[in-house]
Amino acid sequence: MSEPRQRADVGSYDDIAEAAIRTTGLSDFGGTAHEEGLRLLVDDLASAEAGLTPIGNYFHRSQVKSALVGRLMTEARFQEFPQHADVAIERPIFVVGLPRTGTTALHRLLCADPGHQGLELWLTEFPQPRPPRETWEDDPIFNAMQGAFQQHHVSNPEFMGIHYMDATSPEECWRLLRQTGKSISFESLANVPRYSEWLARQDWTDAYERHRQNLQLVGLHDQDKRWVLKNPSHLVALDALMKVYPDALIVTTRRDPVTSIASACSLSAEATADMSTTFVGETIGRTQLGMLERSWQAFTEARKHYDPAQFVDVDYRGFVTDPLGTVAGIYDAFDIPWSDAARAEVTRIDEESRTGQARPSHRYDLGDYGLTEDQVRAAFDL
């Protein structure tokens, strides 16, 4: 097992941008809309409040660099495939909800329909027109990412039990949003108070406009398939999402927030183990509860202004008890054909998810993060 990579510091934004340019051989970022947020983020990561260790310095620098590499590469692809701008995206499905409320499992079942498409993890990182599946193993970017995840499975078995990751799997689309410097993923992995304050004041419309451009690019060869996306940060930006995707269909998962907040804190802790001296225990509890409370309240308020027919609520317990019935109910509510092929593939993926590496296994305790059930319930008005 290889030792984690380390750095003495995160470096400056300009230093990281130069590294992204060297890595890709590209220099056109397509403007500077991303710079304000990422510069502030890097300054926060370099502060004592972030408390990064040498392992954390390397990891968080790589996250910022990855956002910049993704922006450079997609900008080049936009120029290479100008026809992407004409691709229609109609009635996309967005699965939203607090973390650990079944969004991942439901998203993957909805993506199983042969008439649907999701964002495979490797294409969220480095978007391009989706190549034929049989050619992926010949792609050096795909192979590098798949190898990294296989190593991660060995090095971090507890994390993989919480959230199994594979380069071929449909994943969250926050990597597209972070190309404009806007993503709650950064807040989920470090104590970055100034970046968090900045993000809470932002209009996310430009982030979703670029998100849409990326979907047009990735789906260039699959224009007959409906998009199915998911990401907890959609909660905080419903107005921007609906402005860019006015016919969007929103599936909201619901679970006891005491359970979901405890699980979300545990995920943040496992994902950042040994990376910070400050982003631990009670700090994780305080920052994650605050961020998720704001996100949920923003979504609840914004939802009032849109057509109720564009929303379906899914109860976590009902979904776990009857996943196929839950999916069929979503299709019915949105008047989407529930074909034999869709039923067969959803059934197959559901059966696979209950065994093997992708089977969830997770233990957590709210008290580990300085939180009580009463605090959580009060935050969500329960």
Side-chain angles (χ1 to χ4, degrees):
M1 187 183 303
S2 60
E3 289 295 319
R5 296 185 180 182
Q6 304 183 24
R7 275 186 61 95
D9 55 45
V10 173
S12 69
Y13 169 83
D14 290 328
D15 170 46
I16 300 173
E18 285 299 322
I21 289 170
R22 288 195 302 272
T23 296
T24 61
L26 303 168
S27 60
D28 181 6
F29 285 103
T32 59
H34 60 290
E35 286 194 14
E36 182 181 4
L38 292 182
R39 286 183 182 277
L40 185 57
L41 174 67
V42 172
D43 288 346
D44 249 7
L45 291 171
S47 72
E49 287 164 297
L52 298 187
T53 65
I55 295 173
N57 286 329
Y58 183 89
F59 172 81
H60 286 287
R61 176 188 172 89
S62 72
Q63 291 295 299
V64 177
K65 180 183 174 184
S66 182
L68 293 171
V69 166
R71 187 173 176 101
L72 284 167
M73 292 185 69
T74 54
E75 201 62 38
R77 297 291 191 177
F78 292 159
Q79 303 303 317
E80 183 180 356
F81 299 96
Q83 65 270 37
H84 82 278
D86 298 323
V87 174
I89 298 178
E90 298 178 353
R91 303 184 78 212
I93 298 173
F94 288 83
V95 179
V96 304
L98 293 173
R100 321 308 303 161
T101 58
T103 55
T104 297
L106 181 57
H107 177 230
R108 289 178 179 173
L109 291 185
L110 290 169
C111 286
D113 185 334
H116 290 172
Q117 60 181 317
L119 271 173
E120 292 84 3
L121 197 153
W122 76 291
L123 294 175
T124 71
E125 193 87 38
F126 305 112
Q128 60 177 296
R130 185 185 292 108
R133 177 62 182 86
E134 63 271 15
T135 68
W136 291 5
E137 280 73 14
D138 299 325
D139 189 297
I141 293 177
F142 172 84
N143 283 322
M145 289 192 68
Q146 189 73 313
F149 284 119
Q150 289 170 351
Q151 176 60 41
H152 192 54
H153 299 170
V154 175
S155 304
N156 301 274
E158 181 67 19
F159 177 84
M160 299 314 294
I162 299 172
H163 185 79
Y164 182 81
M165 299 177 73
D166 177 278
T168 66
S169 300
E171 257 298 335
E172 296 178 351
C173 47
W174 54 264
R175 291 174 179 83
L176 302 186
L177 296 170
R178 73 177 181 178
Q179 288 188 16
T180 49
K182 296 171 182 173
S183 176
I184 65 171
S185 66
F186 297 124
E187 297 179 86
S188 301
L189 298 171
N191 186 30
V192 284
R194 284 165 293 277
Y195 175 79
S196 295
E197 291 172 7
W198 173 84
L199 190 61
R201 300 191 304 269
Q202 298 308 301
D203 177 352
W204 289 60
T205 302
D206 64 333
Y208 279 91
E209 287 172 342
R210 191 171 182 91
H211 180 278
R212 184 185 181 95
Q213 280 186 285
N214 274 288
L215 295 190
Q216 291 174 307
L217 177 71
V218 175
L220 182 61
H221 304 319
D222 299 289
Q223 297 185 37
D224 59 330
K225 295 184 177 182
R226 182 194 309 272
W227 276 104
V228 183
L229 296 309
K230 83 104 172 176
N231 181 7
S233 71
H234 296 318
L235 289 172
V236 79
L238 182 63
D239 284 331
L241 187 157
M242 296 299 277
K243 184 176 181 179
V244 175
Y245 300 102
D247 60 352
L249 307 174
I250 312 296
V251 180
T252 308
T253 55
R254 295 175 179 271
R255 186 183 189 184
D256 179 357
V258 169
T259 302
S260 62
I261 296 300
S263 184
C265 289
S266 178
L267 179 62
S268 289
E270 288 295 334
T272 59
D274 301 322
M275 292 185 187
S276 171
T277 59
T278 62
F279 192 67
V280 294
E282 293 185 3
T283 299
I284 290 178
R286 172 178 53 79
T287 58
Q288 300 314 291
L289 178 60
M291 177 188 70
L292 294 170
E293 176 189 3
R294 292 191 302 272
S295 297
W296 184 254
Q297 298 298 344
F299 176 79
T300 301
E301 182 59 33
R303 176 173 171 169
K304 298 174 184 177
H305 304 295
Y306 300 101
D307 184 354
Q310 291 181 255
F311 295 80
V312 167
D313 293 301
V314 170
D315 176 71
Y316 176 80
R317 289 171 298 180
F319 171 53
V320 171
T321 301
D322 184 12
L324 264 67
T326 298
V327 172
I330 293 169
Y331 276 59
D332 182 60
F334 290 145
D335 196 25
I336 298 172
W338 180 230
S339 66
D340 290 341
R343 181 188 296 274
E345 279 303 296
V346 170
T347 300
R348 182 181 68 82
I349 294 298
D350 177 55
E351 291 173 350
E352 283 184 1
S353 72
R354 298 171 185 273
T355 59
Q357 290 180 306
R359 179 174 57 85
S361 174
H362 188 196
R363 296 180 298 276
Y364 41 82
D365 186 339
L366 196 63
D368 292 342
Y369 307 100
L371 299 175
T372 67
E373 292 190 13
D374 288 344
Q375 278 180 282
V376 173
R377 294 192 189 285
F380 292 91
D381 298 324
L382 296 176

